[in-house]
Amino acid sequence: GTLQEKIYSLNKKKYTEFLPLKLHKILIYLKYFVLAVTLSKAILLIQYSYFKICPVLLISFFSRIALPGIVFLVVFMILSLLIERFWCRYLCPYGALMNIFQLAGKLSGIKRQKIIRNLPESINCKNCLNYCPMGIELGGNNIIESVECIHCLKCVRVCLKSDPACIKCIYKDNL
């Protein structure tokens, strides 16, 4: 994640709309496929093929990197330059697992942190929409309930309205 953020910070143009929204909505499910493949390979004890392309392991064991790993790492870095949090958004099996746990907690009624938008107080600056690093389409929702939300609070920090804020983060019962 840190490497992705550093690489993306080099991008001066900040291609926030590099991917069309339709493609983004399709690609966010790719990480669940990667999770399923990773789990099935782990169960079958053939997870070694995943280790050849996992960016975390590639960087950790750079001296023993194989050609497929080098190719994947270069592609990953280029995509991280163009698309904020590319790995986290579209490929990370751990992110998919965390989303599943977040959904399970929501369905079981566990209290969790929520981002609340006060739409009547909003000045319609759309900063909270434009600065989401996960590309969540907030739309006209009062409560941000997407499991893709990583609770980085960037949307809260970029809110131009200071008092009363039009977006804030609080703990609430599931509504």
Side-chain angles (χ1 to χ4, degrees), residues 107-171:
L107 294 174
S108 64
I110 295 174
K111 290 182 181 181
R112 61 191 188 102
Q113 190 177 29
K114 298 230 179 172
I115 297 175
I116 310 291
R117 294 175 70 205
N118 186 354
L119 292 177
E121 293 292 330
S122 175
I123 59 173
N124 206 23
C125 65
K126 296 192 180 354
N127 271 359
C128 54
L129 306 172
N130 296 331
Y131 288 95
C132 177
M134 295 304 287
I136 297 170
E137 188 180 12
L138 303 178
N141 300 326
N142 279 335
I143 300 171
I144 310 310
E145 300 202 62
S146 172
V147 293
E148 297 294 323
C149 180
I150 57 172
H151 300 281
C152 66
L153 304 180
K154 198 169 192 179
C155 58
V156 176
R157 286 192 300 274
V158 298
C159 182
L160 293 176
K161 193 135 190 222
S162 58
D163 192 24
C166 58
I167 189 165
K168 58 186 171 186
C169 185
I170 58 173
Y171 281 93

Side-chain angles (χ1 to χ4, degrees), residues 26-167:
I26 293 168
L27 286 177
I28 59 173
Y29 293 104
L30 188 58
K31 67 179 156 237
Y32 298 101
F33 174 74
V34 173
L35 174 64
V37 169
T38 303
L39 287 176
S40 62
K41 286 184 174 223
I43 290 168
L44 297 172
L45 301 175
I46 54 174
Q47 70 273 19
Y48 181 71
S49 61
Y50 172 72
F51 291 159
K52 288 182 181 179
I53 62 166
C54 176
V56 174
L57 293 172
L58 291 176
I59 293 167
S60 300
F61 301 106
F62 198 74
S63 62
R64 294 185 278 161
I65 193 169
L67 182 61
I70 292 171
V71 170
F72 185 80
L73 196 57
V74 169
V75 169
F76 165 73
M77 287 184 172
I78 291 169
L79 289 170
S80 293
L81 179 67
L82 299 174
I83 302 168
E84 189 171 14
R85 294 180 183 256
F86 174 79
W87 174 261
C88 298
R89 282 188 191 186
Y90 305 121
L91 295 174
C92 182
Y94 182 66
L97 186 63
M98 295 303 292
N99 290 355
I100 291 169
F101 282 123
Q102 194 175 162
L103 182 61
K106 177 182 171 184
L107 294 174
S108 64
I110 295 174
K111 290 182 181 181
R112 61 191 188 102
Q113 190 177 29
K114 298 230 179 172
I115 297 175
I116 310 291
R117 294 175 70 205
N118 186 354
L119 292 177
E121 293 292 330
S122 175
I123 59 173
N124 206 23
C125 65
K126 296 192 180 354
N127 271 359
C128 54
L129 306 172
N130 296 331
Y131 288 95
C132 177
M134 295 304 287
I136 297 170
E137 188 180 12
L138 303 178
N141 300 326
N142 279 335
I143 300 171
I144 310 310
E145 300 202 62
S146 172
V147 293
E148 297 294 323
C149 180
I150 57 172
H151 300 281
C152 66
L153 304 180
K154 198 169 192 179
C155 58
V156 176
R157 286 192 300 274
V158 298
C159 182
L160 293 176
K161 193 135 190 222
S162 58
D163 192 24
C166 58
I167 189 165

